[in-house]
């Protein structure tokens, strides 16, 4: 067994870290206070060729695996960019995998190169206010009318919709009561996010990651050309499932990265801060939580790499991907909480950044699947226990 990154993987991490040094703490603090999508950061990643890290070379990408993408996303978050930097490029890294796997040759050549070049930003329209993770019950409807579909409905928690040019959209094309299987009758589209009256995009005010907007989208007679449907009509839910495991791996890597960023700051502060004539890092009550955080983050990272390795080799990785997301989110959030406590009162001050990390660490803890449902998955799929819901 070899746990070391290859020289090529090490080079990816070093290159990403070098790009991130151009976007320092002051940059992300300003974005956290004022908002505004980090277009220059997104552009820097595009110009260096990293937005296409998982897209095949024939469409302008690098053709690398989810392992390399995870290394990239961990490095971004660990640089201090946190979830603001990571989610600014997250969807573009692997979100269009359904197009790569199930799209026609014409669709791939039309849809993928603009994403790689950074000319187009995409958002992901799946979640709805009344269905949550019960995706087969989604209510957004796409009705076929000749050479187009007409979409009506609502989506929520759609990241980057304020700046996105396109949307990967899941909608029901056949009423669920007419389907033998609830997963049938759902179709996937990748199309322009036209705001000329057919859609309303409303930003959600939230506790963190102000730089990357989250939104509600309302569709009213929104037209989608037939040529923008991905794969067969009614098979979209299965196409989306194909990307769930790599999505969990990437967000797990980001959680590890933000935890490492917080831990690095906490350790540095503990060495410098003197109270009662000695650095606070000399006290075991400060040392031990930070040491435990390091161990938890290292263990979580190994699970991330395990899941990514299995995915890249075509092996079953559902349990590993879910475990990686669970362990990384728990370790990342705990490291951020302990970083705030290490700083004491200053941990509550924005200028020390750790409170920003703690707020942003809530994202991978909650999304894209809750820790409770991951426990259900492991209990049922790994341990063979009866389904609880």
């Amino acid at each position: 067994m070899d746990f070391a990154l290859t020289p090529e993987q090490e080079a990816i991490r070093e290159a990403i870290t070098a790009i991130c040094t151009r976007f320092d703490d002051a940059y992300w603090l300003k974005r956290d206070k004022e908002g505004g999508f980090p277009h220059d950061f997104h552009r820097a990643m595009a110009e260096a060729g990293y937005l296409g890290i998982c897209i095949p070379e024939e469409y302008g990408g690098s053709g690398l695996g989810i392992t390399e993408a995870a290394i990239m996303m961990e490095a971004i978050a660990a640089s201090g960019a946190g979830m603001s930097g990571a989610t600014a490029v997250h969807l573009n890294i692997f979100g269009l995998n359904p197009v790569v796997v199930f799209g026609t040759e014409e669709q791939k050549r039309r849809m993928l190169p603009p994403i790689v070049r950074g000319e187009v930003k995409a958002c992901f329209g799946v979640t709805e206010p009344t269905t949550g993770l019960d995706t087969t019950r989604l209510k957004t409807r796409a009705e076929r009318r000749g050479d187009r579909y007409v979409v009506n409905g609502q989506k929520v928690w759609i990241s980057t919709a304020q700046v996105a040019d396109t949307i990967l959209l899941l909608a029901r094309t056949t009423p669920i009561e007419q389907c033998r299987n609830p997963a049938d009758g759902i179709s996937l589209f990748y199309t322009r996010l036209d705001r000329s009256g057919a859609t309303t995009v409303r930003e959600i005010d939230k506790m963190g990651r102000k730089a990357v907007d989250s939104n509600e989208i309302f569709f009213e007679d929104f037209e989608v050309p037939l040529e923008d449907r991905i794969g067969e009509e009614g098979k979209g839910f299965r196409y989306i499932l194909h990307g769930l495991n790599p999505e969990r791996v990437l967000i797990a890597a980001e959680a590890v990265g933000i935890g490492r960023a917080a831990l690095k700051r906490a350790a540095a502060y503990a060495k410098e801060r003197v109270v009662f004539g000695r650095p606070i890092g000399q006290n075991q009550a400060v040392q031990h939580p930070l040491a435990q955080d390091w161990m938890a983050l290292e263990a979580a990272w190994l699970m991330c790499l395990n899941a990514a390795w299995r995915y890249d080799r075509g092996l079953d990785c559902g349990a590993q991907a879910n475990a990686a997301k669970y362990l990384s989110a728990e370790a990342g959030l705990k490291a951020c909480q302990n970083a705030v406590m290490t700083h004491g009162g200053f941990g509550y001050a924005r200028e020390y950044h750790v409170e920003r990390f703690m707020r942003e660490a809530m994202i991978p803890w909650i999304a894209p699947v809750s820790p409770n449902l991951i426990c259900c998955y492991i209990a049922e799929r790994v341990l063979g226990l009866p389904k609880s819901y």
Side-chain angles (χ1 to χ4, degrees):
M1 299 177 69
D2 187 355
F3 293 97
L5 300 184
T6 66
E8 293 78 11
Q9 291 169 341
E10 290 283 8
I12 289 171
R13 197 178 198 287
E14 290 172 5
I16 293 296
T17 301
I19 295 171
C20 289
T21 59
R22 293 152 49 186
F23 303 90
D24 59 11
D25 292 334
Y27 175 89
W28 294 111
L29 182 59
K30 183 177 181 181
R31 285 286 179 270
D32 183 60
K33 289 180 178 179
E34 301 176 4
F37 187 83
H39 291 284
D40 43 357
F41 176 77
H42 180 274
R43 184 165 53 251
M45 288 295 169
E47 290 173 351
Y50 284 106
L51 293 188
I53 193 169
C54 289
I55 291 177
E57 292 181 82
E58 56 265 40
Y59 308 113
S62 301
L64 299 176
I66 192 65
T67 302
E68 288 74 24
I71 292 166
M72 171 183 172
M73 301 312 292
E74 187 277 335
I76 291 174
S79 74
M83 298 305 295
S84 293
T87 53
V89 299
H90 177 101
L91 182 64
N92 295 59
I93 296 301
F94 207 81
L96 292 193
N97 187 55
V99 177
V100 174
V101 178
F102 302 106
T104 65
E105 186 63 25
E106 183 277 330
Q107 288 174 329
K108 294 174 188 178
R109 296 201 177 278
R110 171 165 56 93
M111 297 172 175
L112 298 176
I115 286 286
V116 174
R117 295 191 296 264
E119 298 167 357
V120 167
K121 298 181 182 70
C123 63
F124 193 24
V126 174
T127 306
E128 296 186 1
T130 59
T131 57
L133 290 170
D134 191 4
T135 306
T136 61
R137 302 287 172 178
L138 60 79
K139 294 180 173 59
T140 297
R141 183 73 195 277
E143 181 183 350
R144 174 83 178 264
R145 297 181 188 174
D147 62 352
R148 69 192 191 282
Y149 288 85
V150 178
V151 179
N152 286 278
Q154 180 182 359
K155 299 291 182 179
V156 72
W157 293 115
I158 312 305
S159 296
T160 75
Q162 293 290 329
V163 298
D165 307 285
T166 55
I167 184 169
L168 194 66
L169 177 65
L170 202 63
R172 182 162 283 286
T173 44
T174 302
I176 192 170
E177 57 271 15
Q178 296 178 21
C179 300
R180 288 191 300 175
N181 187 321
D184 294 335
I186 296 174
S187 298
L188 183 65
F189 307 90
Y190 179 65
T191 193
R192 298 287 301 179
L193 183 56
D194 182 13
R195 297 174 177 81
S196 61
T199 59
T200 300
V201 180
R202 181 183 300 161
E203 187 169 359
I204 299 170
D205 192 18
K206 55 190 187 299
M207 72 182 288
R209 206 195 63 178
K210 190 175 178 64
V212 179
D213 51 275
S214 299
N215 304 270
E216 293 180 281
I217 304 182
F218 301 86
F219 299 99
E220 184 176 353
D221 293 334
F222 175 69
E223 295 190 357
V224 179
L226 177 61
E227 58 265 27
D228 288 351
R229 189 191 72 214
I230 306 301
E232 297 181 49
E233 181 175 290
K235 303 294 185 182
F237 182 72
R238 291 173 174 82
Y239 300 157
I240 289 295
L241 288 180
H242 190 272
L244 291 185
N245 287 330
E247 180 188 29
R248 281 154 173 66
V249 173
L250 290 188
I251 203 160
E254 293 159 19
V256 169
I258 200 168
R260 285 174 168 169
L263 178 59
K264 181 179 179 181
R265 286 186 170 275
Y269 186 82
K271 286 184 280 189
E272 297 169 358
R273 175 65 166 159
V274 175
V275 177
F276 300 123
R278 54 193 272 163
I280 63 172
Q282 193 173 342
N283 302 317
Q284 291 180 351
V286 174
Q287 289 182 350
H288 289 186
L290 301 185
Q292 291 162 5
D293 288 336
W294 183 88
M295 290 185 281
L297 289 166
E298 288 297 303
W301 180 236
L302 287 177
M303 184 57 82
C304 288
L305 294 178
N306 181 12
W309 181 87
R310 294 181 66 86
Y311 180 86
D312 287 339
R313 280 153 185 78
L315 302 174
D316 179 67
C317 66
Q320 291 78 12
N322 277 279
K325 191 273 180 187
Y326 181 97
L327 295 171
S328 300
E330 294 282 329
L333 180 59
K334 187 65 175 177
C336 292
Q337 291 172 332
N338 283 334
V340 171
M341 291 302 295
T342 300
H343 283 74
F346 288 116
Y348 206 65
R350 286 194 168 188
E351 66 179 292
Y352 285 82
H353 301 280
V354 289
E355 64 84 31
R356 169 170 65 88
F357 294 153
M358 187 175 73
R359 287 184 283 113
E360 293 190 355
M362 293 293 294
I363 298 171
W365 192 63
I366 297 170
V369 59
S370 72
N372 311 78
L373 279 178
I374 289 178
C375 289
C376 290
Y377 180 96
I378 298 299
E380 296 156 18
R381 303 294 183 90
V382 179
L383 304 180
L385 300 177
K387 191 171 183 177
S388 60
Y389 60 95

